[in-house]
Amino acid sequence: MERSVLVLAEVKDGKLRNVTFEALTAARRLSEGGRISAALFGQGHQPLAAELAMHGADQVYLAEHAELDRYTPDGYTQALTQLIVHDDPDVILLPHTAIGKDLAPRAAARMGCGLISDCTGLEWKDGEPVFIRPIYAGKAFESRRFAAGKWFVTIRPNNIPVEEHQSSHGCREIPFAVDIKDLRTVVKEVISKSLAGVDLSEAKIVISGGRGVKSAEGFEPLQELADVLGAAVGASRGACDAGYCDYSLQIGQTGKVITPDLYIACGISGAIQHLAGMSNSKVIVAINKDPEAPIFQVADYGIVGDLFEIVPLLTERFREMLA
Ligand code: FAD
């Protein structure tokens, strides 16, 4: 059955986030030959349309409005709902990022539509698409299907392998005029933390430190290993609470939820709240000097020992292998 799908593209620091391409890959499977539209909100994003076309968009809406340059819940909700009324898609896909998590339920409620959030996979059963999503903090997975009407779906980053697929119809760029009024939220200033390195939420490899690193300096060997592997550095709340690192690195129930290909936990005990943020990683390696640490129950590979001895050895070995 053909479906028309609208994907909200997400731009960060002038670049499309990789999860946008994952959403377009999902859109192509879901559409079963139907029309795929992408939307770029904000000014000056037209040069990015070609990349959306390369990943399967048949048309790209350019909603160039000054109020869309920065995310505000009411500005984006107004723009997205106006676009949905205009485009009339069957399915609306958003990245399951801070923006998507906030926007999708608002827009879905405003339009009286269903929402399947935080999807990590898409399968077919009896000819119908079925979305896979983690529940109970990643301890189990459930399958959700569409009922009648339009549906919103959010896609968790790093779960759907990106495929390039140029639209066979060519890609149209369509300016879309939005009418934004009565904004209740005004962003006056954005103060960004200057965190160098790989974006944690989309990193393929994450090296994480817990209270076992013992100090801010204790993160240095982890950063060195991350640099060699092109990885991001993450942390447990224990390490953040102890002041060893910034809270923006926190992984878990009250931090970031990530799904890298490889997660290396160093000096992290494996509390349930931490596992909620990383237990769906494809391969988990744990380094802990306590053989009874619960992290070993979810680890694919466990190293019992002192992280300050093991991490530098790993760095040295990877440096040789990758030279
Ligand atoms: P610890 O539990 O103290 O573990 C440190 C580990 O380091 C130990 O296992 C120890 O054996 C090992 N170690 C020590 N020295 C070395 C060494 N030299 N080499 C190797 N291993 C060593 N936690 C999160 O992480 N993320 C969350 O989002 C989160 N949300 C929470 C929400 C709520 C409502 C609550 C109540 C708690 C939350 N927590 C969260 C906290 C969580 O319960 C744990 O307290 C926290 O994860 C523990 O951090 P840790 O593993 O770094 O520290």
Side-chain angles (χ1 to χ4, degrees):
M1 179 190 139
E2 276 194 12
R3 288 176 199 86
S4 56
V5 184
L6 173 66
V7 174
L8 180 66
E10 198 170 314
V11 180
K12 192 174 175 203
D13 302 330
K15 290 189 189 138
L16 285 161
R17 294 191 71 159
N18 194 53
V19 63
T20 298
F21 305 130
E22 294 182 56
L24 280 167
T25 303
R28 193 158 66 83
R29 286 193 227 149
L30 257 182
S31 69
E32 300 191 75
R35 187 188 65 225
I36 300 174
S37 309
L40 280 164
F41 284 2
Q43 301 174 107
H45 294 329
Q46 184 276 337
L48 303 174
E51 266 187 280
L52 296 171
M54 247 166 51
H55 290 85
D58 299 312
Q59 52 187 36
V60 177
Y61 289 106
L62 300 164
E64 301 214 56
H65 193 296
E67 296 291 3
L68 298 176
D69 287 348
R70 285 174 183 162
Y71 178 74
T72 58
D74 39 359
Y76 266 53
T77 306
Q78 289 182 40
L80 184 58
T81 50
Q82 287 168 26
L83 182 55
I84 291 167
V85 169
H86 170 84
D87 185 71
D88 194 26
D90 298 307
V91 187
I92 303 99
L93 291 185
L94 290 94
H96 194 74
T97 52
I99 290 180
K101 280 190 253 186
D102 190 62
L103 176 61
R106 287 173 195 279
R110 185 79 55 94
M111 305 214 64
C113 301
L115 164 67
I116 305 178
S117 71
D118 199 13
C119 295
T120 54
L122 173 59
E123 291 173 359
W124 253 255
K125 276 192 193 134
D126 309 323
E128 288 294 320
V130 172
F131 293 89
I132 312 301
R133 59 187 301 276
I135 52 172
Y136 303 125
K139 280 192 175 305
F141 288 86
E142 68 169 5
S143 307
R144 287 282 188 95
R145 288 172 194 245
F146 293 142
K150 281 188 205 314
W151 279 81
F152 283 69
V153 177
T154 63
I155 304 286
R156 186 188 281 197
N158 268 352
N159 282 277
I160 297 177
V162 171
E163 291 164 13
E164 286 199 5
H165 178 86
Q166 190 89 36
S167 161
S168 49
H169 318 294
C171 181
R172 289 195 304 147
E173 291 175 21
I174 308 169
F176 182 71
V178 289
D179 176 23
I180 295 181
K181 51 185 178 228
D182 304 329
L183 282 185
R184 287 165 298 176
T185 321
V186 177
V187 181
K188 292 201 167 164
E189 191 186 359
V190 175
I191 302 166
S192 324
K193 291 203 172 116
S194 56
L195 289 170
V198 182
D199 179 359
L200 184 55
S201 50
E202 291 195 330
K204 297 279 177 210
I205 306 177
V206 174
I207 317 293
S208 241
R211 215 165 352 224
V213 303
K214 295 193 174 69
S215 64
E217 294 70 44
F219 265 91
E220 283 166 16
L222 275 59
Q223 184 64 57
E224 260 182 68
L225 176 57
D227 291 344
V228 169
L229 292 176
V233 171
S236 70
R237 179 156 144 190
C240 300
D241 282 347
Y244 304 161
C245 60
D246 194 273
Y247 277 101
S248 58
L249 301 191
Q250 184 184 320
I251 290 159
Q253 188 183 315
T254 43
K256 291 195 169 74
V257 176
I258 56 167
T259 324
D261 291 344
L262 174 62
Y263 186 83
I264 306 183
C266 310
I268 294 179
S269 58
I272 182 80
Q273 295 90 353
H274 186 75
L275 301 187
M278 46 59 74
S279 61
N280 290 319
S281 304
K282 291 176 190 90
V283 175
I284 298 172
V285 177
I287 304 169
N288 198 305
K289 58 183 189 186
D290 174 7
E292 302 298 325
I295 190 79
F296 288 125
Q297 287 167 23
V298 296
D300 298 283
Y301 300 94
I303 304 173
V304 178
D306 187 336
L307 73 93
F308 294 106
E309 287 170 23
I310 291 156
V311 172
L313 286 175
L314 286 175
T315 307
E316 204 182 299
R317 188 76 186 99
F318 280 123
R319 198 175 271 133
E320 284 165 17
M321 283 167 66
L322 298 170

